[in-house]
Amino acid sequence: MKRKTENPRVVVIGGGTGLSVLLRGLKKQPIDITAIVTVADDGGSSGRLRSELQMPPPGDVRNVLIALADTEPLLESLLQYRFVNGSGLAGHSIGNLLIAALTEISSGDFVTAIEQLSKVLAVRGRVLPAANHSIVLHAEMQDGTIVSGESIIPKAGKRIKRVFIDEGVKPLAEATQALREADAILIGPGSLYTSVLPNLLVPGIVQTIRESKAVKAYICNVMTQPGETDGYTAEDHIQAIHDHVGNSLFQYIIVNNGEISEEVRALYAEKGSEPVTYSEEKLTAKGYHIIADNLLVYDKFLRHDATKLSEIIMNVIGAKV
Amino acid sequence: MKRKTENPRVVVIGGGTGLSVLLRGLKKQPIDITAIVTVADDGGSSGRLRSELQMPPPGDVRNVLIALADTEPLLESLLQYRFVNGSGLAGHSIGNLLIAALTEISSGDFVTAIEQLSKVLAVRGRVLPAANHSIVLHAEMQDGTIVSGESIIPKAGKRIKRVFIDEGVKPLAEATQALREADAILIGPGSLYTSVLPNLLVPGIVQTIRESKAVKAYICNVMTQPGETDGYTAEDHIQAIHDHVGNSLFQYIIVNNGEISEEVRALYAEKGSEPVTYSEEKLTAKGYHIIADNLLVYDKFLRHDATKLSEIIMNVIGAKV
């Protein structure tokens, strides 16, 4: 796709709800967005389609497409609708089925399928899988056992030591090109071991990020994730990235300093999740620029404040562009 | 829906491929189209959705929506795409699944689901089910046995005496209203016993057609259909309608007088299908205006010539409006 405007080019790498929230904010800004999304999912509807139709898992891509779509709310509800009944249908979302059908119509080309659905949804930006085929994610736990499968790893009830992918995975050329041409690269938010790192582990991705002259920021999760980042501080998140792909992948770290009420804390504590804290001293000592602000909104769930986060990101981009 | 223009209002009643061909031609004309479609299907993907999700069968509606859609070819391929693999997915078309999901999103309201998909597809006209719920079609065969199920009747290998539906079926109010306000009502083309008659058997439909001041035409099938109309002439088709709902439901009968090559005849004969012939004398004796023309195009299948048929229909409408 040719560049249409002289807007700053922003590449976002991540997955999950956090990334979707971020993109809903960013799509209103005068920037060209490319989202690089993981294809390591193997649970639920995505996992079934992945194994039954031999295609990359569509779920993360679907969520990001919907977040970036410039379309009527009905179409969004339709794409997110999951069948409750129906033999073999129950659990599948319409969006996943559309991506699956378009992939088959495109003779198995997942990237073309995403492009076509992007047109139908008038997506503001581009969505790219990190690789054009499924990735199997493995985790080595602290006790030395190996657990395989993105959806299984957080449920193993063990502490993750490291994650890794099979050899021979190739990055999508469009993804590395987007990183090379980026004015800003945003890593996160999203599940550290099962969304962010699977993207960074694809050979060529990290090297391209390092070589890029873009301004680079890590957007830290607001809450810890049970089975993945229990008890993790912002420093622990960064240390995990360091341990997997080396130091200094980004210059900025965006963290939340907003207070969370006792009531909401208690709700999250029941699910084994607690606020991610940070030490200004330690992060600064490691050479990061810290951007701390009250980034929270609470509406049934704690979420990043999409508008505020977008403003912060536009400032960070402005520092470079 | 309010009338947007002063274009003639044309209501088309039928089903199957023939109706879709007709509508692809008609949608280019300056008319307001309403298609009334059967909900008696119980085979294939439609049948599975009907029984598993307790919804009206979406297949006929899907075909008509696609025929009337003013959208890109990709979206059409997508809606017609049928899964080949996938547990429980194989055989389902994407269009059927979209209608199913929209029906569930609309709390079971099939008509609202169709309206919503019509918007997404920029449908030129309105598509209405004859009733807002599934219909079970039964056939009494010439040998006195009863066969139930639209998809099963033509496969029974017997000659149909009459078809009937369960008591208590109510017509869709929007459908009878469209018939009342119509400038022209077109019946057929489509399977006589399993597409055309199931619509006419819905209580209230025939009475409304009779009371309507519209010009009314029957568009006769070009070929006989195995298991339904073996050996039928145009007069036999009309006689069947007479036997079910009484005489003189329409003034015009549109028949093909184009020759079919020996080669194509032979191909169709293998499948038990032959050209529908007509007797000008007999039809005229019954009081019908005959419109006979070469209505055929051959491209893998014999089809009505959509353009010519549209022109003929516009002339018929012009006779009234």
Side-chain angles (χ1 to χ4, degrees), chain A residues 193-302:
Chain A
Y193 290 103
T194 58
S195 286
V196 173
L197 280 168
N199 283 313
L200 298 182
L201 290 174
V202 172
I205 296 283
V206 161
Q207 192 193 336
T208 312
I209 296 174
R210 287 197 186 285
E211 288 166 5
S212 162
K213 303 232 182 310
V215 60
K216 300 157 199 170
Y218 175 64
I219 303 168
C220 194
N221 291 347
V222 172
M223 302 296 288
T224 65
Q225 214 172 339
E228 285 209 32
T229 52
D230 303 272
Y232 273 38
T233 61
E235 300 87 78
D236 293 329
H237 282 76
I238 286 179
Q239 188 61 46
I241 297 176
H242 288 188
D243 291 347
H244 282 80
V245 301
N247 274 321
S248 306
L249 193 60
F250 34 85
Q251 307 107 17
Y252 292 87
I253 169 161
I254 300 174
V255 289
N256 169 56
N257 66 11
E259 279 296 312
I260 301 169
S261 74
E262 275 307 316
E263 196 186 335
V264 174
R265 261 174 205 261
L267 279 171
Y268 271 77
E270 274 176 33
K271 294 178 282 179
S273 181
E274 54 183 13
V276 173
T277 58
Y278 68 96
S279 153
E280 205 172 312
E281 198 184 359
K282 287 183 190 168
L283 289 174
T284 310
K286 287 190 175 178
Y288 292 108
H289 302 288
I290 305 170
I291 300 169
D293 205 333
N294 180 0
L295 298 177
L296 290 177
V297 283
Y298 181 74
D299 171 27
K300 289 191 215 159
F301 300 98
L302 275 173

Side-chain angles (χ1 to χ4, degrees), chain B residues 93-113:
Chain B
S93 75
I94 281 287
N96 286 358
L97 295 177
L98 285 179
I99 297 172
L102 284 166
T103 303
E104 300 215 342
I105 292 171
S106 313
S107 308
D109 188 342
F110 191 56
V111 175
T112 300

Side-chain angles (χ1 to χ4, degrees), chain A residues 49 52-53 72 74-75 77-78 81 83-89 92 94 97-98 100-102 104-105 116 120, chain B residues 49 52-53 72 74-75 77-78 81 83-89 92 94 97-98 100-102 104-105 116 120:
Chain A
L49 293 172
E52 292 177 6
L53 305 184
E72 23 180 353
L74 169 71
L75 206 52
S77 318
L78 177 58
Y81 178 78
F83 285 105
V84 178
N85 299 302
S87 158
L89 283 182
H92 278 309
I94 281 287
L97 295 177
L98 286 180
L102 285 166
E104 300 215 342
I105 292 171
Q116 289 173 331
V120 173
Chain B
L49 293 171
E52 291 177 7
L53 305 185
E72 22 178 355
L74 168 70
L75 207 52
S77 319
L78 178 58
Y81 178 77
F83 285 106
V84 179
N85 299 302
S87 158
L89 283 181
H92 279 309
I94 281 287
L97 295 177
L98 285 179
L102 284 166
E104 300 215 342
I105 292 171
Q116 289 174 332
V120 173

Side-chain angles (χ1 to χ4, degrees), chain A residues 131 133-135 165-171 201-203:
Chain A
H133 49 82
S134 302
I135 291 175
I165 63 175
D166 292 331
E167 277 184 27
V169 173
K170 290 207 178 95
L201 290 174
V202 172

Side-chain angles (χ1 to χ4, degrees), chain B residues 8-12 179-187 209 212-218 249-254 289 291 312-321:
Chain B
R9 285 174 278 205
V10 180
V11 178
V12 183
L179 287 168
R180 256 192 304 275
E181 295 173 353
D183 296 306
I185 297 172
L186 306 174
I187 299 166
I209 296 174
S212 163
K213 303 234 182 307
V215 59
K216 300 159 200 169
Y218 175 64
L249 192 60
F250 35 83
Q251 306 108 15
Y252 292 88
I253 169 160
I254 300 174
H289 302 287
I291 301 170
I312 289 172
I313 289 165
M314 292 307 288
N315 283 336
V316 173
I317 296 170
K320 158 74 169 51
V321 179

